[in-house]
Amino acid sequence: PTTLETLKEICYYAAFDYSKRVFPAWDTEIRYVFIDGNKEFRNAAPLINDGKWEEAIKIWKQYVKSKDKELASRATYNLAIAYEILGEIDLAIEWAQVSYDIKEKRRTKYYILKLKNRKIDFQKLKYQL
């Protein structure tokens, strides 16, 4: 390549790299819900695959006060995921915290931190717009 072509390419990549710092960009995240635990949780799986989060929420809410702490923790964790997907970050944080309070899991603590960071990112985006 010629010097001019090389210079153009360098400028392009410099601008592209800088734009990542100036303009908001989203990273893809993968979230997992618990479908094991009981038959109702397995019934919720096709609902979330179809985007029927509100119906899945109704199922999980039945188990938030279960005497089985593992089941209650999974139900509240799933609720946190559902509310995050629905754009209700504050509710997602609340449910994730309930899940952690029921049963302290490293995964849940990490998820709470991710949600809090996501909330901060939303606030930054709102400020930029």
Side-chain angles (χ1 to χ4, degrees):
T2 66
T3 305
L4 183 58
E5 289 172 342
T6 303
L7 183 61
K8 284 180 183 179
E9 195 168 325
I10 290 171
C11 290
Y12 169 79
Y13 284 111
F16 182 73
D17 183 56
Y18 184 73
S19 71
K20 290 180 188 176
R21 289 183 252 158
V22 176
F23 300 108
W26 297 108
D27 292 328
T28 301
E29 292 281 341
I30 296 174
R31 301 286 187 249
Y32 297 98
V33 296
F34 290 102
I35 59 170
D36 54 342
N38 68 20
K39 183 180 177 184
E40 292 294 320
F41 277 38
R42 284 187 293 280
N43 291 339
L47 294 173
I48 59 176
N49 286 336
D50 293 338
K52 298 178 181 175
W53 288 94
E54 296 291 343
E55 291 179 41
I57 286 171
K58 289 177 188 174
I59 292 171
W60 297 322
K61 279 192 174 180
Q62 297 173 35
Y63 297 96
V64 296
K65 295 189 186 233
S66 174
K67 290 180 183 180
D68 179 347
K69 297 295 184 191
E70 182 63 30
L71 189 63
S73 175
R74 289 178 179 195
T76 51
Y77 186 90
N78 285 355
L79 287 168
I81 298 286
Y83 283 113
E84 179 190 13
I85 297 295
L86 295 173
E88 300 286 341
I89 297 299
D90 290 327
L91 278 174
I93 293 169
E94 287 177 34
W95 282 112
Q97 187 62 55
V98 170
S99 178
Y100 187 76
D101 292 343
I102 292 170
K103 195 161 189 178
E104 293 181 7
K105 295 180 183 175
R106 191 174 350 155
R107 163 185 51 238
T108 308
K109 188 172 187 172
Y110 175 75
Y111 182 49
I112 292 168
L113 292 173
K114 292 287 271 183
L115 286 170
K116 288 180 178 180
N117 285 334
R118 190 156 185 209
K119 182 177 179 178
I120 291 167
D121 289 344
F122 276 137
Q123 290 169 340
K124 286 180 189 175
L125 180 62
K126 196 173 188 180
Y127 179 73
Q128 288 176 348
L129 297 176

